[in-house]
Amino acid sequence: MTAADRNRSVLVHERADRSLDGIFRLIEAAGQPRPLAEVLARMCADVSAIAAADVVSVYVRDASDDQVFTMRGNVGFPATSIGNVHLRQGEGITGFVAEKLLPVSVAVADRDEHFKYIPGLGEERFPAMLAVPIVRAGAAAAVLVLQRGSDHEFSGEEVVLATALAAVISHALERAEERERTQRETGRASVRLPGTSLSRGAAMGRAAVLPTLAALARGTVPPPAATISVDVALERLEADVRKLAAGATSAELASLMLILSDRRFRDRLSAAAAGATPLKSMSELAREYARVAFSAAGDEATEALMSERAAEIEDLCVIVHAVTTGQTLLRPGDIVISERLRTFMAAHALARGVSALVVDGTLGEGGAVATLARAASVPLVAGVAGVFAWVHPGDLLVVDADAGSVRVNP
């Protein structure tokens, strides 16, 4: 291979190729605090779709040996590779990126001097490679690696995109480390977490975390076939919202009700649910709304509204899948723990008889979720910072919304 070929196939991308601020603002909203394995699995699948990559891997620096990076997330390689593929700093292209702290793209990976062959992965089918460091405190905390088939090398614009997506993964790693550190320091001790009361009352129950579409798709047991139609599921949810609202006027509620009555949307959701891979089809439908949200032109307020609407659509898909297949997301007496509870999921939870709602993020006192909780006389405490660092699904909780607090393992 000539020097000209080597110069063309291996590019080291310096910092400040272009501003990433706008991309960061769009992507940071995608982060959700969940178990690290689940977060990385979802992130890898999302990056694969967004960046049109056949393989996406996340190598995380080991806590026991800071010179070793282990594959902790992947899509495209055998599932057995997760947790079993290790590269030392400086070893392979991934290790080289961790050492140099710069993105590297390679048109044909095995022609690069840094490439290291790992038996059993099948990397030879995906020679085009892009690796991006995830940097914290001046060192690589992880490396995001994207791979494709031949003749599909990564462009400079895609390096920018991958760098933005790496920021999401960095956020997920930071949250996971915070949770693990807190759990090590406190064990399962009782703790009182303050928040803001939006619906008064008190309740005791077990913590329940609502699943995402991605989490449902990774279930080890295939879901049962649909037992009722999408139309029936949507009509039930619409009835729940109307009953809970109890005549309250809310522009937010009125706008969301239009989604439930949108015939075109109903038809598309019905088609997705009836397909061979309903969860995948629903995910694609939700992502389509997300793409519309992220590409919407307008001011920041408009974009935020569109993004929130896309998230409501994904929640709606989760509910419809559960209801049409007879699955139970929540049981009476559960206490829902959520990073950002939205209207459709709140209505579904309240209609199932949950005893309280606890939200990590902030909610408006006059918003639809607070309106529904007060109408149902169910305690709601929002702004409970750090709740995911303290609470595991199944933990016993006491919610005192009169005092604006949540006690874990009382």
Side-chain angles (χ1 to χ4, degrees):
M1 184 169 59
T2 67
D5 288 336
R6 285 195 296 272
N7 289 337
R8 183 192 68 82
S9 62
V10 181
L11 301 173
V12 177
H13 300 269
E14 296 292 339
R15 296 179 190 268
D17 277 353
R18 63 188 63 190
S19 172
L20 301 180
D21 291 345
I23 298 176
F24 277 128
R25 284 196 298 269
L26 296 178
I27 296 177
E28 283 172 355
Q32 293 186 1
R34 295 180 180 277
L36 182 59
E38 181 179 326
V39 171
L40 292 183
R42 176 175 181 177
M43 291 293 105
C44 286
D46 288 345
V47 171
S48 175
I50 294 168
D54 300 308
V55 178
V56 176
S57 308
V58 177
Y59 290 81
V60 180
R61 187 186 292 274
D62 282 7
S64 58
D65 186 344
D66 63 6
Q67 293 298 303
V68 175
F69 290 80
T70 299
M71 185 188 293
R72 296 298 182 189
N74 174 266
V75 62
F77 285 150
T80 53
S81 62
I82 299 176
N84 293 310
V85 177
H86 313 276
L87 290 167
R88 297 191 67 82
Q89 182 159 303
E91 183 180 31
I93 296 173
T94 299
F96 174 71
V97 167
E99 182 178 57
K100 297 301 182 182
L101 302 182
L102 293 171
V104 170
S105 63
V106 184
V108 183
D110 61 8
R111 295 181 185 173
D112 181 65
E113 61 179 323
H114 302 289
F115 177 78
K116 178 179 179 178
Y117 176 72
I118 299 175
L121 285 186
E123 284 188 284
E124 60 276 5
R125 295 176 294 144
F126 313 105
M129 183 175 179
L130 167 61
V132 178
I134 298 172
V135 182
R136 294 212 312 274
V143 179
L144 171 64
V145 180
L146 284 63
Q147 294 175 249
R148 288 179 181 155
S150 59
D151 301 324
H152 291 86
E153 60 185 292
F154 293 88
S155 67
E157 288 76 12
E158 288 172 319
V159 175
V160 173
L161 175 61
T163 303
L165 297 177
V168 181
I169 297 172
S170 178
H171 175 68
L173 293 175
E174 289 176 0
R175 295 294 293 273
E177 290 174 3
E178 177 187 348
R179 290 194 297 273
E180 291 174 2
R181 183 171 56 253
T182 302
Q183 289 162 9
R184 285 196 304 268
E185 293 173 352
T186 63
R188 308 303 296 146
S190 176
V191 63
R192 178 183 176 278
L193 303 175
T196 301
S197 175
L198 297 178
S199 178
R200 299 176 70 84
M204 175 182 287
R206 297 289 177 180
V209 178
L210 293 161
T212 62
L213 278 175
L216 290 175
R218 288 191 299 275
T220 56
V221 179
T227 56
I228 66 171
S229 70
V230 169
D231 274 340
V232 171
L234 292 177
E235 287 166 3
R236 288 182 181 178
L237 181 59
E238 183 175 4
D240 289 341
V241 175
R242 293 190 184 282
K243 181 179 179 180
L244 290 165
T249 58
S250 166
E252 185 180 355
L253 282 172
S255 177
L256 289 171
M257 296 299 278
L258 292 176
I259 296 176
L260 298 178
S261 59
D262 184 336
R263 187 70 258 172
R264 180 173 176 272
F265 174 74
R266 283 192 177 214
D267 290 343
R268 294 191 62 189
L269 190 54
S270 295
T277 54
L279 285 169
K280 180 180 178 182
S281 298
M282 287 182 180
S283 294
E284 291 170 352
L285 178 59
R287 282 199 298 270
E288 180 179 330
Y289 274 81
R291 283 195 294 271
V292 170
F294 289 139
S295 63
D299 58 24
E300 291 186 4
T302 300
E303 292 180 1
L305 177 62
M306 293 293 287
S307 178
E308 187 72 9
R309 182 58 49 84
E312 286 278 10
I313 295 298
E314 179 168 350
D315 285 351
L316 183 58
C317 290
V318 171
I319 295 168
V320 166
H321 177 72
V323 173
T324 57
T325 58
Q327 298 182 76
T328 301
L329 297 180
L330 296 164
R331 290 177 171 80
D334 281 348
I335 293 180
V336 175
I337 306 297
S338 178
E339 181 190 19
R340 178 63 192 272
L341 189 63
R342 288 174 285 268
T343 307
F344 286 142
M345 199 61 83
H348 180 77
L350 292 168
R352 304 285 82 73
V354 300
S355 60
L357 306 172
V358 177
V359 182
D360 179 281
T362 59
L363 289 175
E365 185 175 357
V369 172
T371 298
L372 294 179
R374 288 193 293 268
S377 298
V378 170
L380 165 59
V381 181
V384 186
V387 64
F388 282 94
W390 291 92
V391 178
H392 289 190
D395 281 352
L396 183 64
L397 306 179
V398 172
V399 176
D400 184 354
D402 294 332
S405 68
V406 178
R407 185 168 291 281
V408 184
N409 296 315

